[in-house]
Amino acid sequence: MDSRLLKPYNPKETEERIYKLWEDSGFFNPDKNTNPDAEPFTLIMPPVNANGSLHAGHGLILTIEDVMVRYKRMRGFKTLWLPGLDHAGFETQVVYEKKLEKEGRSRFEIEPKQLYKEILDFTLANSTNIKSQIRKMGASCDWGREKFTLDPDVVKTVHQTFERMYDDDLIYRGKRIISWCSKHQTSFSDLEIKDEERTDDFYYLKYGPFTIGTARPETKFGDKYVVMHPDDERYKEYKEGQKINLEWINGPIEATVVKDDSIDKEFGTGVMTITPWHDTLDFEIAERHKLDKEQVIDENGKLLPIAGEFAGQHIKKARPLIIEKLQKKGLVEKIDTSYKHVVRTCYKCGTIIEPQIKSQWFVKMKPLAEKALEKIENGEIVYIPEHYKKITVHWLGNIMDWNISRQIVWGIPIPAKICKECSHGMVDIGEKITKCKKCDGEVEKDNDTFDTWFSSGQWPFVTLGYPDSPDFKKFYPTDVMETGGDIIFFWISRMIMLGLYVTGKIPFKTVYLNGMVLDAKSQKMSKSKGNVIDPLVLTEKYGTDAFRMGMVVGNTPGTSLALAEERIRGYKNFANKIWNAARFVLDNTKDFKIPTTPPYDEEDKKSDEELKNLITEITTEIDEYKFYIVAEKLYHYFWHTFADIIIERSKKKIAENKNADGAKALLYTHLETLLGALHPFMPFITEEIWQIIKSRRKVGTPTETSGLLMVEQWPFDSAQGKPKSI
RNA sequence: GCGCGCUUAGCUCAGUUGGUAGAGCAAUCGCUUUACACGCGAAAGGUCGGGGGUUCGAGCCCCUCAGCGCGCACCA
């Protein structure tokens, strides 16, 4: 017997050695791992955030993708799994800002170029680490094609897309109301906002003859329009455009009556004043009626001179003081202290979002969404699980324009010039524009960067070298896009829209969305709760194969996974079982050559048939992306049929030398077949045993292949419908 | 408010055209059996959230109620 089998299975030592064997073989590269005419199978890895460490969610994503890829490779497809790293724009900038904070520095004191360089160094220093962690998961991706989201060719393509969309009138620069985080000093798209339910005070204030309701008295300084529904009987004596002189916070003002359908007669008193600069609804009313807009709060959340004596104060501190003053003036009618409403906050720091009017770049989403909807509703993109299709259709049907400008340095610069006079925006890729095309005024460089999703939304075709590279022609559209269901809008839907727009084709045929990985008690993992499970700790302890099985078995797509350590431990035991079964089989089939027609007795024939049926079954199920059931079936069959029944009964046959040859042949073909079928799920241990088998093979036995299980044929996948014999 | 899910054994979850319920882990009992105690054998465990309907027959289809989770939304 091979001396390696006498020792217990040692994942740590084995995994490193086996991964090197695979990587050195070159078979991660689709140009080498199969015949040149084979049909391609392409999967682009969601770019992993380069600044951090692998988390449990990555563990799940990498496992599922590797299962798909290894299976397809064994089926003989020209299989490409393209790995990537993500600069992760705002995410990374936030991480780096926290680091600066600890060092007593601030991003606002650092020169932008210097800051960019620091974050780049920080990210690159981490990227080696993250890549080695991806390898530890057993990921059989083609490192030769690795991409980083800030690679020059990526930037180039993203710039070209920007220009093309601008020329096609799909991108515009507009002075519109945007969501602003006063801590991070940047705007967001509507997706980066987290809604939070709160109970706050709601104030009823006397505004001339009216009583208005507001939760935000600190915005009210400039309010000079009073709005009501045109059909509201209570206020029919007031006519549109009517001027009313009244006493307000800082003295007498002249208010103008406005009638608008968007007012809810049932809410509050049915009358409100508007603050177009700091409220979306108010902004829209002001746009409709062409009303003045005035800024009240600055970008740091402090009141501007319009607030009179309150100018310079932070809104948080000013609110009670303003109410105090209003009370003294007798303008507070009542305060409702149990007003429940939803507050929009920054998804990173929880700071209340302050809407501001700013000039930014926006993408017109409607035309893009309509094309995507058509393809999705036609069934050209398959969603797994299916209900994500409904969610996507709903979102695309109600889509808003997308603000892609971010006021941070860490990202792809927006190649544009802005006119200092008329604030007209012009795309300027080669820094050629020196005067405003509209008014001939002086221009300045746009210092903003793109929303990171604007570039990652182009990932499938960018990574493949759109438009001219042979890879693009061969591998695009890709087959599967697999990632967490939580980024279905951020990423998946935008990839569909941008892919369709740029290449005219859907970027992928199937979307597979996995759920979240939660802790053992089904709670979200978070640093503050202290319940974060590090996948690398688990692989270290139980082996990567065990971890992978824990990720796959029973884990249906889209459903969250409660990650309990016992779960992983169970599959470590399984690895041990495989190891020992292999030891038994190999020990009992020494010097045994399988006859072309093995002399099976009746029960052997039945078992042989059962195995074939199992493989046929699971092959169909893998094709249907039901990995959760396949892994479980293999586990169950290996343990409770192969080990418990077939191995057990063979002991007697071999000892008594009764039907021994049939029994040995059955043991052997079972082991070999099951190793192949298990390989996508448990690549390391199956490959290790395969290598031991191979080294034992005698001269003259078929070894035309590389000898790596990774590129062996999937069991029963040959014309004969039989497993290969050795 | 709108949308999408979930509710099956103590726990985590399967259950593919409707035919009297399955797995893993945990718990129980017994085993130093010559591949494996990271093991072997045995047994135990559920009125499939409540109610109603369709059907010869429902965990699976329809209606309704309740609880939980998630997403979207400009109600001042």
Side-chain angles (χ1 to χ4, degrees):
Chain A
M1 148 146 27
D2 191 287
S3 61
R4 276 177 280 179
L5 278 173
L6 292 171
K7 286 181 257 167
Y9 177 60
N10 178 348
K12 218 171 153 182
E13 181 276 326
T14 306
E15 289 170 10
E16 216 164 294
R17 180 165 40 78
I18 292 288
Y19 194 89
K20 193 170 183 317
L21 196 65
W22 291 330
E23 199 173 355
D24 291 349
S25 76
F27 292 130
F28 290 167
N29 181 344
D31 300 329
K32 293 186 186 155
N33 65 18
T34 186
N35 73 69
D37 308 320
E39 198 186 318
F41 175 82
T42 317
L43 190 151
I44 310 286
M45 184 189 293
V48 180
N49 189 337
N51 83 63
S53 216
L54 228 53
H55 60 242
H58 291 124
L60 175 60
I61 287 174
L62 293 170
T63 300
I64 291 174
E65 294 183 9
D66 197 47
V67 167
M68 292 191 216
V69 162
R70 285 182 186 270
Y71 166 72
K72 287 290 182 178
R73 196 183 286 120
M74 290 176 86
R75 292 297 304 266
F77 286 82
K78 188 190 265 298
T79 305
L80 169 62
W81 185 18
L82 193 150
L85 293 184
D86 193 355
H87 73 285
F90 180 64
E91 294 274 337
T92 301
Q93 172 124 0
V94 169
V95 169
Y96 200 76
E97 278 179 28
K98 275 189 191 150
K99 186 174 172 277
L100 287 175
E101 230 168 80
K102 273 186 199 150
E103 296 165 359
R105 300 161 72 202
S106 158
R107 107 185 209 210
F108 304 107
E109 295 158 4
I110 304 171
E111 208 267 314
K113 272 195 181 141
Q114 168 66 19
L115 181 60
Y116 183 92
K117 195 190 166 295
E118 281 190 31
I119 303 180
L120 180 65
D121 290 346
F122 171 74
T123 303
L124 292 180
N126 265 294
S127 66
T128 321
N129 175 46
I130 199 93
K131 280 192 268 183
S132 94
Q133 293 180 339
I134 294 171
R135 286 179 166 89
K136 279 197 176 131
M137 289 291 134
S140 59
C141 49
D142 182 7
W143 291 105
R145 285 177 163 88
E146 177 197 337
K147 276 277 158 213
F148 178 48
T149 53
L150 291 180
D151 283 344
D153 55 329
V154 175
V155 174
K156 191 180 158 200
T157 307
V158 169
H159 280 181
Q160 282 168 349
T161 303
F162 179 67
E163 184 171 48
R164 186 171 150 192
M165 292 180 88
Y166 180 83
D167 291 342
D168 283 349
D169 200 26
L170 284 167
I171 280 181
Y172 61 93
R173 191 167 177 88
K175 206 168 169 156
R176 300 199 21 204
I177 192 148
I178 48 92
S179 298
W180 180 263
C181 173
S182 59
K183 176 177 162 68
H184 290 117
Q185 294 286 299
T186 183
S187 63
F188 290 126
S189 74
D190 46 301
L191 290 180
E192 278 104 344
I193 307 305
K194 212 175 149 43
D195 289 349
E196 221 176 90
E197 191 157 298
R198 294 202 187 168
T199 305
D200 285 313
D201 290 350
F202 190 77
Y203 309 92
Y204 288 89
L205 307 177
K206 282 189 188 134
Y207 190 79
F210 308 105
T211 299
I212 58 159
T214 183
R216 302 201 59 196
E218 69 276 11
T219 65
K220 296 280 148 204
F221 292 100
D223 289 11
K224 54 184 181 182
Y225 300 104
V226 60
V227 194
M228 59 216 74
H229 198 279
D231 301 337
D232 198 326
E233 289 294 313
R234 291 170 293 179
Y235 307 111
K236 65 178 176 193
E237 60 183 285
Y238 301 99
K239 305 287 178 239
E240 173 98 40
Q242 186 178 338
K243 309 278 183 201
I244 297 166
N245 288 300
L246 54 92
E247 180 64 23
W248 195 223
I249 312 171
N250 286 333
I253 61 159
E254 184 188 69
T256 306
V257 174
V258 174
K259 304 264 178 167
D260 194 276
D261 288 341
S262 64
I263 301 297
D264 182 351
K265 286 184 275 186
E266 311 302 316
F267 188 89
T269 57
V271 185
M272 67 174 203
T273 60
I274 56 166
T275 315
W277 204 282
H278 302 290
D279 186 281
T280 321
L281 176 65
D282 295 1
F283 175 81
E284 280 167 14
I285 293 172
E287 286 282 281
R288 272 199 290 276
H289 299 269
K290 302 199 167 40
L291 310 176
D292 299 340
K293 309 181 191 87
E294 207 163 349
Q295 188 171 8
V296 181
I297 301 160
D298 75 4
E299 290 170 2
N300 297 307
K302 287 182 178 160
L303 289 162
L304 289 164
I306 189 174
E309 64 192 270
F310 300 98
Q313 292 195 26
H314 195 276
I315 46 172
K316 250 187 180 167
K317 288 185 185 145
R319 185 187 291 181
L321 302 175
I322 294 165
I323 287 302
E324 202 181 314
K325 179 169 182 191
L326 284 165
Q327 268 166 335
K328 272 184 196 154
K329 291 184 82 165
L331 294 176
V332 179
E333 196 171 289
K334 62 172 176 170
I335 301 173
D336 176 0
T337 54
S338 56
Y339 173 58
K340 266 195 185 164
H341 65 152
V342 172
V343 178
R344 307 167 75 228
T345 61
C346 167
Y347 80 112
K348 271 288 156 201
C349 68
T351 301
I352 293 179
I353 290 296
E354 188 60 67
Q356 293 276 7
I357 297 177
K358 274 189 161 299
S359 261
Q360 310 261 288
W361 293 103
F362 294 88
V363 179
K364 279 188 199 166
M365 298 307 283
K366 270 236 163 63
L368 296 173
E370 275 163 14
K371 291 220 171 81
L373 271 171
E374 197 187 307
K375 298 283 182 189
I376 292 165
E377 281 170 341
N378 269 349
E380 286 180 52
I381 299 172
V382 175
Y383 282 83
I384 299 166
E386 220 183 327
H387 75 262
Y388 275 105
K389 180 172 162 176
K390 287 190 205 166
I391 294 174
T392 303
V393 166
H394 185 254
W395 185 73
L396 287 172
N398 298 286
I399 203 155
M400 288 181 273
D401 282 0
W402 175 16
N403 173 14
I404 52 171
S405 296
R406 294 292 176 278
Q407 292 69 51
I408 57 172
V409 300
W410 184 237
I412 297 180
I414 299 180
K417 290 272 161 48
I418 313 298
C419 177
K420 284 183 181 174
E421 315 288 325
C422 70
S423 54
H424 177 59
M426 293 149 275
V427 178
D428 183 20
I429 288 181
E431 300 274 350
K432 292 170 205 139
I433 295 175
T434 51
K435 284 263 185 268
C436 177
K437 287 183 177 171
K438 224 175 171 180
C439 73
D440 218 30
E442 218 181 304
V443 293
E444 61 185 346
K445 203 181 161 332
D446 186 348
N447 286 320
D448 291 349
T449 50
F450 284 116
D451 179 354
T452 194
W453 299 103
F454 182 71
S455 48
S456 49
Q458 304 177 49
W459 200 236
F461 60 86
V462 167
T463 50
L464 290 171
Y466 168 84
D468 297 321
S469 107
D471 269 10
F472 178 73
K473 287 167 189 154
K474 208 182 298 168
F475 296 110
Y476 190 91
T478 69
D479 291 273
V480 181
M481 177 50 67
E482 194 282 336
T483 192
D486 53 331
I487 50 176
I488 180 156
F489 306 141
F490 277 108
W491 199 40
I492 297 287
S493 305
R494 285 163 174 173
M495 276 192 286
I496 296 171
M497 290 185 278
L498 290 170
L500 271 171
Y501 169 71
V502 174
T503 72
K505 290 181 189 163
I506 50 167
F508 31 73
K509 297 161 199 151
T510 300
V511 177
Y512 181 108
L513 295 160
N514 57 259
M516 304 241 94
V517 183
L518 308 172
D519 76 355
K521 292 176 197 151
S522 287
Q523 288 182 314
K524 219 170 181 172
M525 291 187 202
S526 76
K527 278 180 203 158
S528 53
K529 266 188 236 157
N531 62 347
V532 174
I533 303 169
D534 181 349
L536 294 154
V537 169
L538 291 178
T539 55
E540 186 85 4
K541 210 163 158 190
Y542 302 107
T544 300
D545 291 326
F547 176 80
R548 291 168 59 117
M549 281 297 273
M551 289 291 108
V552 176
V553 176
N555 184 20
T556 44
T559 323
S560 56
L561 171 77
L563 178 54
E565 199 165 326
E566 304 86 66
R567 195 185 164 90
I568 309 297
R569 198 193 309 133
Y571 296 112
K572 179 188 190 259
N573 297 348
F574 181 50
N576 185 60
K577 190 76 184 176
I578 296 173
W579 190 253
N580 285 299
R583 178 200 290 187
F584 177 86
V585 171
L586 295 179
D587 198 28
N588 282 285
T589 55
K590 276 190 287 233
D591 307 317
F592 175 73
K593 253 194 135 167
I594 298 177
T596 328
T597 328
Y600 288 152
D601 62 16
E602 280 313 305
E603 57 184 10
D604 290 341
K605 272 184 200 157
K606 248 180 106 179
S607 293
D608 189 51
E609 200 54 39
E610 204 185 337
L611 177 68
K612 263 182 211 158
N613 291 339
L614 173 76
I615 301 296
T616 311
E617 232 174 87
I618 64 159
T619 303
T620 309
E621 283 161 345
I622 294 190
D623 286 333
E624 292 167 349
Y625 302 92
K626 293 177 182 166
F627 313 120
Y628 59 98
I629 195 84
V630 172
E632 188 180 315
K633 277 185 183 172
L634 286 170
Y635 173 96
H636 205 253
Y637 186 88
F638 194 103
W639 202 314
H640 300 299
T641 300
F642 181 46
D644 289 353
I645 297 170
I646 295 172
I647 287 185
E648 285 310 314
R649 80 178 181 225
S650 77
K651 286 178 183 169
K652 201 175 167 207
K653 289 183 185 176
I654 291 169
E656 294 171 4
N657 200 15
K658 218 175 139 196
N659 290 327
D661 280 7
K664 286 179 182 178
L666 190 71
L667 286 177
Y668 207 95
T669 48
H670 256 72
L671 177 65
E672 195 177 279
T673 305
L674 288 170
L675 285 177
L678 278 164
H679 183 259
F681 302 92
M682 306 180 79
F684 289 108
I685 192 170
T686 52
E687 185 71 77
E688 173 72 347
I689 295 169
W690 189 264
Q691 291 307 309
I692 292 167
I693 293 176
K694 198 189 76 174
S695 68
R696 226 189 59 155
R697 285 176 179 172
K698 281 163 232 42
V699 183
T701 51
T703 49
E704 317 94 70
T705 63
S706 69
L708 287 178
L709 180 55
M710 180 177 80
V711 286
E712 277 290 328
Q713 204 166 37
W714 180 248
F716 301 112
D717 203 20
S718 58
Q720 297 86 350
K722 278 184 184 173
K724 301 167 306 306
S725 59
I726 63 151

